[in-house]
Amino acid sequence: MIRQAFYPISRIAAFALLAACGSPDDTGGAAAEAQSAGETALYRYNREYVFVSPRGDEPLVVPFTFRSNELGSELERGVRGWLARGATWDRFLDETGRTSQAGGVWRVVPLGDLRITAGGAAELESLRFERAERRLRLELDAPLTSWSQGGDTRFRLLSGTLAVGSETLSGPVLEMLRVERTLEDGWPPGEDFDALFLTSGDSVQVVLAETINGDGAAPEYAWVRTPGGERSWQEAEIRWLEMRPYQDARRDIPLGWSFRVPGAAVDGELVAAGFDVVLGPERAGRRAVEIHYTVEGWVDLGSDRHEVTGMIRHTQQ
């Protein structure tokens, strides 16, 4: 039985939700600017859950991405799910469908072979995928943190349990809500963007995001959680250390990164263990890409170095 705990949210309410725990976000300003100019603003609403297991010899990551695009009186909803073990990425779920506006843009909708149980302290209790002999279940427990704000992104940390076949693993889950302005082809305007979620085996979690080559409107942010508490900053730097050609998109894509928080004793390096590419529309002779990577490396927090694993979501548009 599915118990939905989601209610209608208008576009204005969606922006207000993201801005509720911080200053007004840039996307809301873009909407007002577009309305004053008589333009039709197009937006994509993203709700993501990223499970990372801090155990084992290779990174294990399970991301789910739910997206909604407004199409007149309807919403085009999509969901993707991956099971990633080190270098191997399995996109086991990739479904789209159209629904009414009921439930609002943030609603998590079961599509294809995905089933949802909602309710409780985290709103969403579980995501269950079953197809023939394949079974995967992600249970979400009570939130470990309150919501944090990064401009047009809002996120919090949950504890979770992943069951794949006979294997059961525990680990942190990052829940993120993002609003993106899009072009008529359904993808955001041209920019290079990196967002990372890392965890160690001793209760350290790191979230950073930066637009590398954009118009400067998208915010950057950093957040670190340790057993001693949480800290956040409105600045972050992510740099590509190694590149390789990806011919399907006619682009170079990164395979290594460094990152730091300016003015704070936070820095680190990461290398890709594996990745999965979603190709977007062709622009100026190249294809847009959204890439999910499993990564491993280290982060320095002052005088303490921690080995970390996790995921980077990288886009070039």
Side-chain angles (χ1 to χ4, degrees), residues 6 8 156 169 221 264:
F6 304 97
R156 64 177 175 174
L169 299 165
Y221 54 88

Side-chain angles (χ1 to χ4, degrees), residues 48-265:
E48 300 173 71
Y49 296 88
V50 182
F51 171 89
V52 176
S53 172
R55 302 176 184 174
D57 298 329
E58 59 183 6
L60 188 147
V61 177
V62 175
F64 284 91
T65 298
F66 298 86
R67 283 177 170 161
S68 298
N69 294 71
E70 293 176 314
L71 296 174
S73 61
E74 294 183 314
L75 289 174
E76 181 180 68
R77 298 187 188 272
V79 58
R80 289 191 178 105
W82 296 263
L83 172 62
R85 295 178 182 270
T88 303
W89 276 79
D90 176 15
R91 195 191 313 171
F92 61 83
L93 180 65
D94 194 343
E95 301 282 350
T96 58
R98 292 192 179 188
T99 71
S100 70
Q101 296 267 3
V105 296
W106 300 122
R107 184 184 182 190
V108 174
V109 173
L111 294 172
D113 296 311
L114 180 68
R115 298 294 176 263
I116 307 278
T117 303
E123 293 183 353
L124 198 64
E125 291 181 352
S126 68
L127 299 165
R128 306 187 312 280
F129 175 83
E130 295 187 15
R131 180 180 295 161
E133 299 300 316
R134 302 191 64 186
R135 290 178 173 82
L136 181 147
R137 183 183 183 101
L138 179 60
E139 298 278 355
L140 302 175
D141 298 324
L144 298 174
T145 70
S146 57
W147 289 101
S148 297
Q149 185 78 15
D152 57 2
T153 300
R154 203 176 169 207
F155 58 89
R156 64 177 175 174
L157 196 68
L158 313 170
S159 59
T161 303
L162 176 72
V164 183
S166 61
E167 185 179 21
T168 301
L169 299 165
S170 297
V173 179
L174 182 69
E175 179 183 10
M176 301 187 73
L177 279 67
R178 297 183 294 118
V179 180
E180 298 174 300
R181 185 164 184 180
T182 66
L183 301 180
E184 291 185 357
D185 59 20
W187 279 56
E191 63 183 22
D192 300 341
F193 179 76
D194 284 297
L196 60 86
F197 172 46
L198 310 171
T199 187
S200 73
D202 54 358
S203 301
V204 172
Q205 286 84 37
V206 179
V207 178
L208 278 91
E210 186 192 15
T211 300
I212 310 298
N213 296 312
D215 58 10
E220 56 194 50
Y221 54 88
W223 176 88
V224 174
R225 178 177 182 262
T226 69
E230 302 172 38
R231 291 195 64 188
S232 61
W233 300 265
Q234 296 304 311
E235 290 183 291
E237 290 183 0
I238 302 174
R239 296 294 178 262
W240 306 338
L241 298 179
E242 182 183 351
M243 308 286 288
R244 60 155 279 189
Y246 189 76
Q247 296 301 333
D248 289 350
R250 297 177 291 280
R251 293 178 179 273
D252 290 337
I253 64 173
L255 292 178
W257 299 260
S258 66
F259 62 89
R260 73 184 189 98
V261 178

Side-chain angles (χ1 to χ4, degrees), residues 8-21:
I9 301 178
S10 67
R11 181 192 292 115
I12 295 175
F15 291 134
L17 173 62
L18 288 175
C21 59

